[in-house]
């Protein structure tokens, strides 16, 4: 068969750090296991073979993505022995689980894109194509790492780009660029794949290029591999600080002289080096060596090993919890004294958008969907022991498909380790002969850390940026937002769940009244989200608003309240700051509100409500039919009470950039916590034994500094100290 395959493929240009992984290292043992490297290669071969035999109009195949199609939810739970309702036996699996996959590929010759589904014939050990669907010409799969990296070769092969760079003193070997999605630009037809290339210079091979932005932005046709247009951003001039372009902040016509229409002169790039690599920093003319002493080593030691265990390749058990580990956390359960209690079926980030706040063209089209337009998984980098991950670490690999259908694998894509987060609980009885007890913490949170290098653009001499800040002479870091959509597919004590919104309000009775004499009364008021007219909600800090996922069929033995998990994300709730009807709002409705609730709907290829901005996001100019606003509308006649609901939570940061964010931004943290409420009979950590760390010592011996630490343990009548 292999000798008959004639479909050309695109060669990969990924960094050499991405390595091949032998088949023996990754096997399929779980219904939700991701595709293995060998499966990816077999799937691409099956697609090319099928195309060669049945689709002669397809001239070439450039793979954009490939992933596993999850089996139906109830079948997965039956296969894993997880009950649909706590206290009842799990369902029996009535049919064999099929191993299925889906992929998107582009024909770069004809410019068409295709969606493919496949099923594994495990008797013959071959993947069989179920069907190939040609996508509408206005629909594009995600950009790939190869396409992003390849744009630098395209701009360096363009004589006009080289000429324009030379006019401001930049030689071809100094010229670099970041490939970016084009976002929204209705001057270009939607039937082609585009990138805008943000240009920079480098003074040495590893110099921080973002300190040297250039003043023009090429637009390229990805499949044709050529520059098709040059954009010239306007600047702000004069005492009024108005935009230099006569037409204002809008885009100029393609048939005009875009440089003249910018209303400005050429701006030479700033050439002051602002580096973050230690050797390059030391070589800078004004470098002053820091007098701050380096930190003393801090070692994380677990002499008896870790407390978690890997049951299978991707199945983790820790302190009663058992779930798959990765970018997607699946089938989270708790073993409550032998009773398996479901909590979450699936928890993952589903989308992220980074809209920039500078309105002048072409900056207004800078709003990147990192998941839908790129794919955050393929942007994962290899983790380093003792650097990215500290302590006793277990790694999991990740693999994705290359342009040519081969598998690219990161051996250390995910790290699993335990962190000491302080006291879990503590209480000391102050009475004579009282006892104390303390337990150290190992909490579980969903945490996002934001770091990296801010996007920069050039400033004209004397220009004062309105929508950014000058982080280095001539370098503008524009204001922007990082907005995430967290998809929550709960199964709290089973699949029959309801979302409840709670506001904390003052008692209605005024001060001096019979019901509220001292005026101190407050209590929670609940709103049950039972229909689609209530399904879209926003955080209210004045009301201290929070949301619970409850199971109406399971109540606490003492409080009589519904078993639930409460969502805690104080300080993380963010929505779009752009104007109503803006381009970004027309593409990212999910980012307009904090909470979205709806039923899960499963089709033949898994859940039909996975991607809040749609499956195909690249170059959209409206929210597509398969996106969050339409899903809520489709639930008009559906009850959201005691059913299989899902939620999308919108959170993030509005980044008002600072000079301290350059050349590398310090980490910003987002945390979302799911806490049990009326779920356990009592504090579930009571079974965890307290511990006294024998390696802990006082920081200074007596007489060796003003920060003396003297260990004093107070006891009364022989009472034990708090850690015993």
């Amino acid at each position: 068969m292999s000798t008959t395959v004639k479909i050309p493929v695109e060669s990969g240009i990924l960094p050499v750090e991405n390595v091949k992984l032998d088949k023996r290292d990754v096997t399929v043992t779980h219904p939700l296991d991701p595709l293995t490297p060998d499966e990816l290669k077999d799937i691409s071969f099956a697609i090319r073979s099928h195309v060669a035999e049945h689709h002669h109009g397809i001239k070439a195949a450039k793979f954009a993505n490939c992933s596993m199609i999850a089996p139906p939810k109830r079948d997965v739970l039956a296969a894993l022995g997880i009950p649909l309702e706590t206290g009842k036996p799990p369902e029996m699996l009535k049919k064999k689980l099929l191993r299925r996959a889906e992929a998107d590929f582009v024909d770069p010759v004809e410019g068409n894109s295709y969606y493919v589904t496949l099923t594994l014939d495990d008797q013959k050990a071959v993947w069989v194509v179920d069907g190939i669907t040609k996508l509408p010409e206005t629909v594009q799969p995600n950009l790939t790492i190869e396409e992003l990296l390849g744009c630098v070769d395209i701009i360096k092969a363009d004589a006009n780009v080289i000429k324009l760079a030379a006019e401001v003193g930049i030689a071809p070997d100094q010229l670099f660029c970041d490939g970016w999605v084009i976002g929204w630009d209705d001057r270009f037809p939607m039937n082609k794949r585009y990138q805008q290339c943000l240009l920079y210079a480098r003074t040495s091979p590893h110099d921080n290029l973002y300190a040297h932005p250039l003043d023009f932005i090429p637009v390229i046709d990805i499949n044709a591999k050529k520059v098709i247009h040059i954009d010239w951003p306007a600047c702000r001039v004069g005492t009024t600080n108005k935009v230099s372009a006569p037409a204002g902040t809008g885009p100029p016509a393609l048939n005009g002289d875009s440089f003249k229409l910018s209303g400005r002169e050429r701006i030479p790039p700033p050439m002051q080096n602002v580096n973050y690599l230690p050797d390059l920093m030391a070589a800078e003319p004004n470098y002053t060596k820091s007098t701050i002493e380096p930190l003393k080593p801090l070692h994380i030691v677990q002499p008896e090993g870790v407390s978690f265990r890997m049951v299978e390749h991707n199945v983790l058990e820790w302190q009663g919890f058992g779930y798959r580990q990765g970018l997607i956390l699946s089938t989270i359960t708790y073993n409550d004294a032998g009773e398996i209690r479901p909590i979450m079926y699936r928890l993952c980030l589903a989308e992220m958008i980074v809209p920039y706040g500078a309105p002048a063209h072409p900056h207004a089209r800078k709003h990147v969907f990192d998941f839908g337009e790129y794919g955050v998984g393929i942007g994962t980098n290899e983790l380093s022991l003792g650097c990215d991950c500290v302590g006793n670490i277990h790694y999991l690999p990740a693999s994705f498909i290359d342009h040519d259908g081969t598998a690219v694998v990161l051996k250390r894509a995910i790290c699993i380790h335990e962190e000491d987060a302080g006291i879990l609980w503590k209480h000391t009885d102050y009475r004579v002969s009282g006892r104390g007890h303390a337990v150290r913490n190992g909490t579980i949170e969903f945490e996002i850390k934001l770091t990296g290098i801010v996007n920069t653009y050039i400033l004209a001499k004397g220009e004062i940026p309105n929508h950014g800040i000058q982080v280095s002479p001539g370098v503008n870091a524009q204001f922007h937002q990082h907005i995430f959509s967290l998809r929550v597919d709960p199964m709290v004590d089973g699949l029959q769940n309801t979302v409840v919104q709670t506001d904390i309000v003052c008692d209605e009775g005024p001060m001096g009244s019979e019901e509220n004499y001292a005026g101190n009364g407050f209590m929670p008021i609940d709103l049950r989200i039972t229909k689609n007219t209530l399904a879209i909600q926003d955080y209210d800090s004045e009301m201290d608003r929070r949301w619970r996922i409850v199971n109406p069929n399971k109540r606490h033995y003492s409080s009589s309240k519904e078993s639930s998990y409460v969502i805690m994300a104080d300080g993380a709730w963010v929505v779009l700051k752009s104007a109503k009807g803006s381009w970004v709002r027309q593409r990212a409705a999910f980012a307009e509100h904090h909470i979205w609730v709806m039923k899960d709907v499963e089709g033949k290829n898994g859940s039909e409500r996975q991607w809040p901005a749609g499956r195909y996001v690249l170059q959209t100019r409206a929210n597509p039919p398969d996106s969050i606003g339409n899903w809520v509308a489709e639930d008009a006649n559906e009850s959201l009470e005691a059913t299989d609901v899902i939620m999308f939570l919108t959170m993030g940061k509005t980044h008002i950039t600072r000079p301290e964010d350059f050349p590398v931004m310090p980490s910003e943290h987002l945390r979302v916590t799911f806490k049990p409420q009326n779920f356990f009979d009592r504090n579930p950590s009571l079974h965890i034994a307290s511990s006294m760390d024998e390696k802990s010592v006082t920081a200074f011996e007596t007489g060796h500094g003003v920060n003396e630490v003297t260990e004093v343990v107070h006891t009364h009548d022989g009472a034990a100290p708090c850690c015993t």
Side-chain angles (χ1 to χ4, degrees), residues 618-633:
L618 188 66
Q619 300 171 190
T620 55
R621 294 178 192 165
N623 288 288
D626 63 332
S627 61
I628 201 165
N630 292 320
W631 295 337
V632 171

Side-chain angles (χ1 to χ4, degrees), residues 256-274:
D257 186 328
S258 57
F259 174 62
K260 286 185 178 180
L261 292 173
S262 71
R264 64 165 173 86
E265 301 297 323
R266 292 298 306 275
I267 309 172
M271 297 308 292
Q272 176 180 318
N273 289 341
V274 185

Side-chain angles (χ1 to χ4, degrees), residues 126-152:
V126 295
W127 285 87
V128 179
V129 172
D130 302 327
I132 296 182
T133 302
K134 182 180 177 182
L135 299 176
E137 65 173 9
T138 57
V139 172
Q140 298 286 344
N142 58 283
L143 289 183
T144 67
I145 294 292
E146 296 96 328
E147 289 174 328
L148 293 170
L149 294 175
C151 66
V152 68

Side-chain angles (χ1 to χ4, degrees), residues 639-654:
S639 171
L640 300 179
E641 175 74 35
T643 190
D644 186 7
V645 296
I646 56 175
M647 302 176 69
F648 289 88
L649 317 182
T650 305
M651 62 200 66
K653 292 280 188 180
T654 298

Side-chain angles (χ1 to χ4, degrees), residues 479-512:
F479 304 145
H480 57 280
Q481 294 181 281
H482 302 266
I483 302 179
F484 298 88
S485 179
L486 178 63
R487 185 180 186 271
V488 181
D489 187 349
M491 53 175 185
V492 176
D493 273 326
L495 291 178
Q496 294 185 317
N497 290 166
T498 304
V499 176
V500 177
Q501 177 175 289
T502 302
D503 289 343
I504 313 302
V505 300
C506 295
D507 279 14
E508 291 184 359
M511 186 174 176

Side-chain angles (χ1 to χ4, degrees), residues 159-208:
N160 189 36
V161 170
I162 297 300
K163 171 180 171 293
L164 293 173
E167 289 176 356
V168 288
I170 301 304
D173 64 324
Q174 295 178 297
L175 186 62
F176 290 85
C177 75
D178 278 358
W180 269 55
V181 295
I182 200 168
W184 178 306
D185 196 327
D186 54 15
R187 300 175 301 167
F188 300 102
M190 295 178 66
N191 61 346
K192 297 182 184 298
R193 291 169 71 81
Y194 303 104
Q195 283 188 73
Q196 55 179 325
C197 301
L198 309 187
L199 298 184
Y200 305 93
R202 262 184 165 153
T203 60
S204 64
H206 299 289
D207 174 49
N208 174 23

